[in-house]
Amino acid sequence: MVRAKVSRDALSDRAYEMLRAQIIDHRLAPGERLTMERLTAALDVSHTPIREALNRLVSERLVSVEAYRGFRVTELLDADELRQLFDARLVIEQGALRTATSSIDDDALAEIGRIVEKMDGVASAPTLDVNAFNELDAQFHRATVAAGGNVFLLNAFDDLKVHVQVARHYRGRSIGEAREAQAEHHDILDALARSDSEALLRHAATHVENVFRRLQQPDGDQSAADQPTTDQPAADRAEAAR
């Protein structure tokens, strides 16, 4: 009996991972209908693990469900929705980082440093492993929010599912964009290490604004990614969040 439950859980996890990867990579297109019959045949898994996997994806906002119409891949965020997502992210991150320099301990700072080091490795490759970079980026930002010591802000950050949405928009991005982001991560880490709260808030706000800007560029548009950008819009947003 126990073995059957473990087996079903393993099948559900497998179905979830496969469907999640296909949605993020656009092998399952935004808006595409997801039928049980097709998914069970494609994944060679029974209905129950597929349904459990789909419900997990609903909680991540990668799949939507409508009464009598079933499951569909969630549409990509439009420009206004993406802007709202990043505005909400900025408010939460600024709120958490305001206390991070006084509450972070050596172990937490060292862990953030290790994440940045791993990201350096990904960003130094000739071509970008988007999934690896995005996963590490999610770990980095969650760790910096956690450093603020406010569990409610951390829960709010988790609930945004920022990196799940960004992953779907980030496919096809250039290695140059990753390296630009990585330079910004180093600025954030350096400000944390120096306990410079003012610089930390400024660098974090600039980074959020620049990520949003990079996502507005055509896929792999290196020339736009290499253009200098002003800190003014991000600084204004940071001030409003204080």
Side-chain angles (χ1 to χ4, degrees):
M1 190 74 168
V2 173
R3 278 170 34 191
K5 182 180 186 304
V6 170
S7 176
R8 192 190 76 184
D9 289 347
L11 289 172
S12 177
D13 289 344
R14 174 172 164 265
Y16 163 77
E17 294 293 345
M18 293 176 69
L19 289 171
R20 189 179 190 274
Q22 290 180 27
I23 290 169
I24 287 175
D25 291 343
H26 294 203
R27 285 174 282 163
L28 289 171
E32 184 172 342
R33 190 176 174 216
L34 302 172
T35 65
M36 286 291 175
E37 292 72 18
R38 182 161 65 90
L39 293 179
T40 55
L43 302 181
D44 193 24
V45 177
S46 66
H47 280 206
T48 298
I50 291 289
R51 186 172 294 277
E52 290 173 350
L54 288 171
N55 284 328
R56 288 173 66 181
L57 293 165
V58 168
S59 73
E60 289 193 340
R61 304 189 187 103
L62 288 173
V63 168
S64 59
V65 58
E66 299 178 33
Y68 309 112
R69 302 187 68 178
F71 296 94
R72 287 186 182 275
V73 178
T74 303
E75 296 284 358
L76 290 174
L77 298 180
D78 63 26
D80 288 340
E81 290 168 334
L82 199 62
R83 176 74 273 175
Q84 291 173 26
L85 176 66
F86 274 77
D87 285 347
R89 172 185 177 174
L90 179 62
V91 170
I92 292 168
E93 290 197 27
Q94 291 280 287
L97 292 174
R98 195 174 298 118
T99 57
T101 54
S102 59
S103 62
I104 193 169
D105 59 31
D106 291 342
D107 288 342
L109 185 61
E111 177 58 23
I112 294 172
R114 283 190 288 270
I115 295 169
V116 170
E117 186 176 353
K118 290 178 182 177
M119 295 178 81
D120 283 338
V122 177
S124 66
T127 58
L128 180 62
D129 183 338
V130 172
N131 291 335
F133 190 83
N134 191 66
E135 288 295 328
L136 288 167
D137 190 64
Q139 293 175 30
F140 172 82
H141 285 283
R142 191 179 192 278
T144 59
V145 171
N150 187 321
V151 67
F152 295 99
L153 286 173
L154 182 60
N155 289 341
F157 180 81
D158 287 342
D159 189 57
L160 284 181
K161 311 292 184 188
V162 173
H163 287 83
V164 173
Q165 297 300 331
V166 167
R168 301 178 72 202
H169 288 265
Y170 214 73
R171 59 189 292 273
R173 312 314 299 191
S174 72
I175 195 69
E177 291 172 295
R179 290 169 183 168
E180 184 181 345
Q182 192 57 5
E184 294 158 11
H185 292 147
H186 276 282
D187 288 339
I188 293 169
L189 176 60
D190 179 64
L192 264 175
R194 292 186 289 105
S195 297
D196 188 337
S197 184
E198 183 178 346
L200 176 62
L201 291 171
R202 184 176 68 253
H203 289 313
T206 297
H207 175 58
V208 170
E209 185 68 27
N210 284 347
V211 173
F212 177 76
R213 172 184 58 81
R214 285 189 284 269
L215 288 177
Q216 305 312 296
Q217 298 165 192
D219 289 358
D221 186 346
Q222 184 63 34
S223 61
D226 289 340
Q227 291 299 315
T229 182
T230 176
D231 287 357
Q232 187 61 41
D236 290 345
R237 292 180 184 279
E239 185 63 33
R242 290 179 183 173

